[in-house]
Amino acid sequence: FVSDKCKLYSSILRACPLTQTDAYTAYQSSFLPAATYPLPASYIPPQRLTAIQRDVTSAFLCKMGYNQNMPWAIVFAPVEIGGAGFRSLPVEQGVGQVLLLLKHVRAGTTLGLFVLTTLEAYQLTAGISRPVLEDTRELPHTEGFWFDSVRSFLQDISGAIRLEDPWTIKPLRINDRHLMDNILEHANLTDNETCRLNRCRLFLQVTLLS
């Protein structure tokens, strides 16, 4: 859907004689709402989103009077510091996902309760001692695509989400250790080996090493 929207706007821009003001208005009031609307509920990899928006961003740059080969660090930088003020779709997806999560969890909506239930299942699969939205290190063994996307964005911005009462599996005895914490500390294990060990742990229904 996002790819189709970007291709459509790119072809329209290159065919229509727009002024710089018209192009800016179209970008802010038409393209951005259309392209970013489905992103909070999606989990498109940032590299894919960057590739999707490349052509349409170049088209908007030309129509607004910019060099289409301008470095993207300047294109997406705020106007206040000398940038062009364009919006990055990977960033928009991450921000939208975080806002969606916080809004529904705080309001206690049906979707918010579903998110918390799914988050607990994700925490169980992760098998780590800290809440997964606070400990945002890369976990090669998780399979929750949407939460993987949220955690990746939080890691990129050095952020974390602290819920009021996040569910984790607590140690039962003194000196208990979470198996996955120990496994992740072994840097010599490949991602595939880590996934296999976690699947064995889930099959045996164990989380702690006493």
Side-chain angles (χ1 to χ4, degrees):
F1 178 82
V2 178
S3 178
D4 292 340
K5 285 290 183 182
C6 288
K7 290 178 181 177
L8 174 64
Y9 275 88
S10 180
S11 61
I12 291 174
L13 284 168
R14 298 188 188 283
C16 295
L18 299 177
T19 65
Q20 293 181 12
T21 302
D22 290 339
Y24 178 82
T25 302
Y27 182 76
Q28 294 290 340
S29 63
S30 181
F31 171 73
L32 281 179
T36 60
Y37 175 76
L39 292 181
S42 307
Y43 44 86
I44 305 173
Q47 300 85 349
R48 175 62 179 155
L49 280 176
T50 299
I52 286 173
Q53 74 171 134
R54 187 177 301 277
D55 190 54
V56 70
T57 301
S58 297
F60 271 114
L61 285 171
C62 289
K63 291 298 182 180
M64 293 183 189
Y66 295 107
N67 184 336
Q68 65 176 349
N69 296 316
M70 180 188 301
W72 278 42
I74 300 176
V75 172
F76 296 117
V79 176
E80 294 79 3
I81 60 174
F86 279 63
R87 306 274 281 276
S88 168
L89 291 187
V91 174
E92 292 299 307
Q93 176 177 256
V95 171
Q97 288 172 335
V98 170
L99 291 177
L100 178 71
L101 188 153
L102 292 177
K103 176 174 66 176
H104 285 282
V105 169
R106 287 175 175 174
T109 63
T110 301
L111 179 57
L113 295 176
F114 177 76
V115 167
L116 290 176
T117 301
T118 309
L119 181 61
E120 291 180 1
Y122 186 92
Q123 181 77 46
L124 182 63
T125 301
I128 60 177
S129 56
R130 295 185 59 205
V132 288
L133 295 181
E134 295 181 27
D135 183 350
T136 60
R137 59 182 159 167
E138 184 178 355
L139 302 176
H141 57 285
T142 53
E143 299 176 356
F145 300 106
W146 193 83
F147 283 111
D148 284 343
S149 180
V150 173
R151 295 181 70 257
S152 177
F153 175 72
L154 291 173
Q155 184 183 52
D156 289 342
I157 65 172
S158 300
I161 297 177
R162 293 183 173 87
L163 300 178
E164 183 177 357
D165 186 24
W167 179 83
T168 58
I169 296 181
K170 302 296 190 295
L172 301 177
R173 303 172 182 83
I174 297 174
N175 296 327
D176 271 2
R177 295 274 295 173
H178 285 71
L179 283 168
M180 290 312 300
D181 283 344
N182 288 359
I183 291 172
L184 291 168
E185 288 170 2
H186 287 76
N188 59 327
L189 292 175
T190 66
D191 290 351
N192 189 41
E193 289 171 336
T194 301
C195 290
R196 288 182 177 181
L197 288 170
N198 186 58
R199 287 168 184 159
C200 290
R201 178 188 69 82
L202 292 172
F203 177 78
L204 297 172
Q205 300 183 18
V206 294
T207 300
L208 302 170
L209 177 65
S210 298

